[in-house]
Amino acid sequence: MKKFVNEPANFVPEFMKGVLLANPGLLEFIPEFQLIKRTDRPAENKVSVVQGSGSGHEPAHIMAVGPGMLSAACQGPVFAAPPVDACYETIKSVATDAGVLVLVNNYQGDRMAWDMACEMAEAEGIKVKQFIINDDVSVEDSLYTVGRRGVAGNFFVIKACGAAAEAGADLDTVLAVAEKVNANVRTMGVALTSCIPPAKGTAIFEIGDDEMEVGIGIHGEPGRRRDKIKNADAITDELFDAVAQDLPYTSGDRVALMINGLGGTPISELYVLYARAHERAEQAGLTVVRNYVGEYCTSLEMAGASLTLLKLDGQLEEYLDAPAEVAVRIF
Amino acid sequence: MTEITIEQVEQAIDVASDTVIRNEIYFSDLDGLAGDGDFGTSLATGFKVIKADLPTLDKSAIGAMLLKISMLCSKHVGGSSGPIWGTGFMKAGMASKDKTSVSLEELAAMVNAAVEGIMARGGAKLGDKTLLDALIPIAEKMKELAPAGDAAAMLKAVTEVADKAIDETRNLVAHRGRASQVGERSANTPDPGIVGVATILYDWCKHYGVDYTPTAAELNR
C-alpha cells in the first residue's frame, strides 16, 4: 500500500499541523497534548463542548472544532484513545463557569480515558458532564465496545450541542440536546475493503474482491455478516431497512438523511447510495428535510459507506441550520 | 502496630517499576496470545518515567506521591492500561491523602479503594479474566490479615492469591478488554494483567526476603 507518510510515529501531529495551518486564526494547536481548540474559547457564560478519540476517522474529531461545533478536541494515535492527561487538558483548555460537556463515542478506551479526565477536572473544581454516543445499530456488542458503537451520528450530536452552546444554553440543556439527538439517530455501515493503518501498513482484515462486510465498524470491527457484494440499490436497501426499523422511524417523521463515506469511496458512488436512500425514505412516508452526503466519520481509506437517519423536531431543525464553521470546507 | 512509611512505599514502587521494565517483552508476548500485544510496552513506557521521576516527586504525604504517580500513568501509559493503573494509584492516593505512614489496616483500605475504582472505571467484575481476578481477592485477603500486624505474612499470602489466580483464570474466556474480542481464543492463555500483578508481588517477596515458592509456570520461568 502506498501512503503519504513521513515517519509513521509523526503521522498524527503532522496532519494536525496541516489542519492548523489551513485554518489560520480560527484554531490553536497544542502539540504536547495533540489538542486543537478554538482561539475564541473559552468564552464567558458559554458551555464548551469537547471530544477526543483515536485518529483515522477524519474529519472527526479535531476537524469538527470551530464556531458552532466543538470548542476543542484531542487526538489519540490511529484507532487508539488519547491518553488521560490529553483529555484532561482538553477539558481544562476550554473550561468556563458555564461548564464543559464531553461527548464520548462508545468505545471502551475512550470511555475510560474521559471518565478519569472528568474526575480529575471535577477535583479541580471544573463543572463537567459526559455523554456517551451509540448510534450504530449493527451489533449489540463488538470489538472495543460494550453496547452499541458510536459512529457517524456523532456529527449530528456535535452540531446540535454546538449550536445550543453557542446560543447560550446551560450545561443541563446542552446535555439534554445530546440525549435527544442520540435517542433519535441510527446508523449502519458497509465495507467493501479493509482500512490500512499507517503504522501497520497492511489491511487489518481479509475480505474477498467479491465480498462485503455488512454492519462494519469504523476500526474494521466485524459487523452482522459477510456476503457476496450486491448492487448499490440492494446494499442501500439493507442499510436503510436495518436503520429505519430500529427506532423505529414512522410515516410522517421529518428526518435528516446522511450518507457518510468511509474514506475510500468516490463521492459519486455516495450519491448513488443517497439517491436510493432518499427514495426509500419517501416511500416509507418520511420527509427528508435535511441531507448530508460526504465524509464525516471515516476509517482511513476503507471503501464503504454508512447510512444515518435522524428524526427531527423544530428545535433540532433549528440547531442543524445554525451557522457553523469547521476545518472541512469546499470553498 | 506495624507502620508502612512513605519511604517504604516509594521503595516498593521502585522495585515494581524494575519488575515491569524487565518484563516488557514478556508481558507483551503474553498479551499477544489473545490481545493486541502492547500491554508490556504500554506499562513499561509509563514505569520507566515513574522510576526516573520517583526521587524528585512530591513526598509531603503518601497520597501526594501516589497522585503524582497516577498523573504519570495517565500521561505515559497508553491504551486502557493508562486509565486502569492511573485510577488505582489515584484512589489509593485519595485514601492516604495526608498520611506519611499507614497501618496495615490503612494499607488494606488503600488497596480496596484502588480495586473499587478500577472496577467502576472499566466495568469489569470477578471472573471477566482481567487483573481484577487477582486484585479483588488480594484486597479481601489484606483486610482479613491486616489486624495481625505481620507485613511479611500478608505479602506472602497475597502473592499466593495472585499466583493461584493465574491458573484459576487460565481457562476462562475474557469478557472485558482487548482479549474479549478473540472470544474463545482467550481460553488456555493466562491474563497478562494477572501475571503482571503476581510478578510484582513475587518480586517484592524476593526483595524483602519473604520466602515463597510459586506454582504458576509464568512465575517459575
Side-chain angles (χ1 to χ4, degrees), chain A residues 130-147:
Chain A
Q130 292 184 74
F131 184 76
I132 311 294
I133 300 164
N134 60 348
D135 58 311
D136 190 346
V137 306
S138 315
V139 284
E140 201 46 53
D141 287 308
S142 175
L143 309 190
Y144 305 89
T145 54
V146 177

Side-chain angles (χ1 to χ4, degrees), chain B residues 29-220:
Chain B
D29 286 348
L30 286 180
D31 188 31
L33 297 174
D36 56 1
D38 68 350
F39 174 71
T41 307
S42 294
L43 216 53
T45 305
F47 273 90
K48 279 173 193 165
V49 180
I50 290 169
K51 186 174 171 69
D53 287 7
L54 202 51
T56 55
L57 286 184
D58 179 1
K59 306 267 174 39
S60 57
I62 293 175
M65 180 174 71
L66 294 181
L67 288 174
K68 292 285 179 211
I69 291 170
S70 165
M71 292 295 284
L72 292 176
C73 283
S74 307
K75 197 176 175 68
H76 299 285
V77 180
S80 295
S81 297
I84 288 170
W85 290 70
T87 297
F89 282 116
M90 180 167 82
K91 298 294 179 183
M94 286 159 71
S96 57
K97 211 162 186 177
D98 304 317
K99 298 186 168 74
T100 50
S101 71
V102 287
S103 66
L104 293 187
E105 277 99 338
E106 286 167 332
L107 186 67
M110 285 163 62
V111 171
N112 195 58
V115 172
E116 283 181 354
I118 292 170
M119 285 174 79
R121 182 79 67 219
K125 54 185 190 313
L126 201 64
D128 280 346
K129 196 168 181 172
T130 71
L131 83 173
L132 283 166
D133 285 336
L135 292 180
I136 292 169
I138 284 171
E140 282 166 7
K141 184 60 83 178
M142 288 180 74
K143 206 183 293 177
E144 177 194 325
L145 296 184
D150 185 343
M154 192 197 241
L155 176 57
K156 184 171 182 168
V158 295
T159 306
E160 189 181 1
V161 166
D163 181 8
K164 278 187 177 161
I166 296 174
D167 284 325
E168 282 167 1
T169 57
R170 194 182 299 274
N171 290 315
L172 293 177
V173 175
H175 293 290
R176 277 288 191 281
R178 200 57 75 84
S180 64
Q181 64 186 251
V182 299
E184 296 296 330
R185 214 181 88 202
S186 66
N188 300 318
T189 61
D191 178 70
I194 298 171
V195 175
V197 170
T199 310
I200 288 170
L201 290 170
Y202 184 39
D203 280 4
W204 278 344
C205 285
K206 287 188 265 188
H207 184 82
Y208 295 113
V210 172
D211 189 31
Y212 181 75
T213 310
T215 55
E218 285 73 17
L219 296 183
N220 267 317

Side-chain angles (χ1 to χ4, degrees), chain A residues 94-106:
Chain A
V94 292
T96 67
D97 289 345
V100 180
L101 178 64
V102 179
L103 298 176
V104 185
N105 281 297
N106 189 26

Side-chain angles (χ1 to χ4, degrees), chain A residues 11-27:
Chain A
F11 176 71
V12 176
E14 283 178 0
F15 104 71
M16 292 183 79
K17 188 178 159 195
V19 170
L20 178 85
L21 292 172
N23 293 270
L26 189 68
L27 304 174

Side-chain angles (χ1 to χ4, degrees), chain A residues 88-223:
Chain A
Y88 170 65
E89 289 295 333
T90 304
I91 294 169
K92 232 168 67 168
S93 74
V94 292
T96 67
D97 289 345
V100 180
L101 178 64
V102 179
L103 298 176
V104 185
N105 281 297
N106 189 26
Y107 297 95
Q108 205 159 17
D110 293 336
R111 285 186 65 157
M112 284 200 287
W114 282 106
D115 203 35
M116 191 169 174
C118 286
E119 237 174 77
M120 289 160 68
E122 268 173 355
E124 292 272 307
I126 296 171
K127 192 167 147 190
V128 58
K129 291 199 169 168
Q130 292 184 74
F131 184 76
I132 311 294
I133 300 164
N134 60 348
D135 58 311
D136 190 346
V137 306
S138 315
V139 284
E140 201 46 53
D141 287 308
S142 175
L143 309 190
Y144 305 89
T145 54
V146 177
R148 290 179 167 186
R149 303 174 288 223
V151 287
N154 173 46
F155 242 85
F156 288 123
V157 182
I158 297 173
K159 180 70 184 74
C161 289
E166 206 71 54
D170 64 21
L171 185 56
D172 285 335
T173 306
V174 182
L175 177 64
V177 169
E179 282 164 0
K180 190 202 264 187
V181 176
N182 191 61
N184 287 289
V185 70
R186 299 289 189 274
T187 300
M188 191 159 99
V190 61
L192 310 182
T193 66
S194 169
C195 48
I196 299 170
K200 192 163 184 277
T202 54
I204 60 169
F205 64 92
E206 295 299 322
I207 183 164
D209 281 347
D210 58 346
E211 287 181 322
M212 61 177 180
E213 176 80 22
V214 179
I216 190 75
I218 55 169
H219 311 95
E221 305 101 307

